[in-house]
Amino acid sequence: MPHITPLALGGCLSALAALAHLACVAIGGPAYRWMGAGEGLARAAEAGRWQPTAITLCIAAVLAVWALYAWAGAGWWTPRSPWPGMKLALPLISAIYLVRGVAFPWLKPHFPDNSNLFWLVSSAICLLIGGLHAWGTVSRWSEL
């Protein structure tokens, strides 16, 4: 089994977040509600509108790519050629997670259907994942 590092763990959490988003697409409205994404999104999914699925699949795809970058940076997964822009991507991914974690007071008014619990839990998760990505990136910087 590969050595578990902060960056590898951050990648695992990014992958879990991607899977959680895919579960919303598979389950539909009840999953959107349970995850706190808002009644509007849940109803749109139940009505068969394409927007919730498209938005959620895009988010899941981004999170999956971020997981792969983290695993590659941690040495868990090495494709035949080096990952493009690894030294730019990993700090940027870390920063996006960390900014999302602290920016919820400014984001919340733009998404009024999302519950307070959603904002608190998702922001804490983003801070955790961003912190792991940042810690892991710094610790592996010379090997990237």
Side-chain angles (χ1 to χ4, degrees), residues 16 29 79 89 92 116 125 138:
L16 284 174
L92 188 59
N116 285 328
I125 290 169
V138 168

Side-chain angles (χ1 to χ4, degrees), residues 66-136:
W66 289 0
L68 292 174
Y69 262 95
W71 291 335
W76 274 26
W77 189 67
T78 310
R80 290 183 183 186
S81 59
W83 279 80
M86 182 74 76
K87 282 196 165 189
L88 174 63
L90 288 175
L92 188 59
I93 292 166
S94 303
I96 291 169
Y97 272 124
L98 293 170
V99 168
R100 166 55 186 84
V102 298
F104 77 92
W106 297 277
L107 292 171
K108 190 176 173 184
H110 300 286
F111 302 92
D113 283 348
N114 292 11
S115 69
N116 285 328
L117 183 61
F118 166 85
W119 286 108
L120 293 173
V121 170
S122 65
S123 296
I125 290 169
C126 286
L127 286 172
L128 172 65
I129 297 173
L132 288 168
H133 273 76
W135 178 17

Side-chain angles (χ1 to χ4, degrees), residues 13-98:
L13 293 177
S14 290
L16 284 174
L19 290 173
H21 282 80
L22 292 176
C24 284
V25 171
I27 297 169
Y32 283 101
R33 280 188 194 90
W34 188 82
M35 299 280 274
E39 189 60 29
L41 206 56
R43 285 187 184 167
E46 289 171 339
R49 298 190 60 177
W50 63 269
Q51 294 93 334
T53 298
I55 291 166
T56 307
L57 288 175
C58 286
I59 293 169
V62 168
L63 293 169
V65 168
W66 289 0
L68 292 174
Y69 262 95
W71 291 335
W76 274 26
W77 189 67
T78 310
R80 290 183 183 186
S81 59
W83 279 80
M86 182 74 76
K87 282 196 165 189
L88 174 63
L90 288 175
L92 188 59
I93 292 166
S94 303
I96 291 169
Y97 272 124
L98 293 170

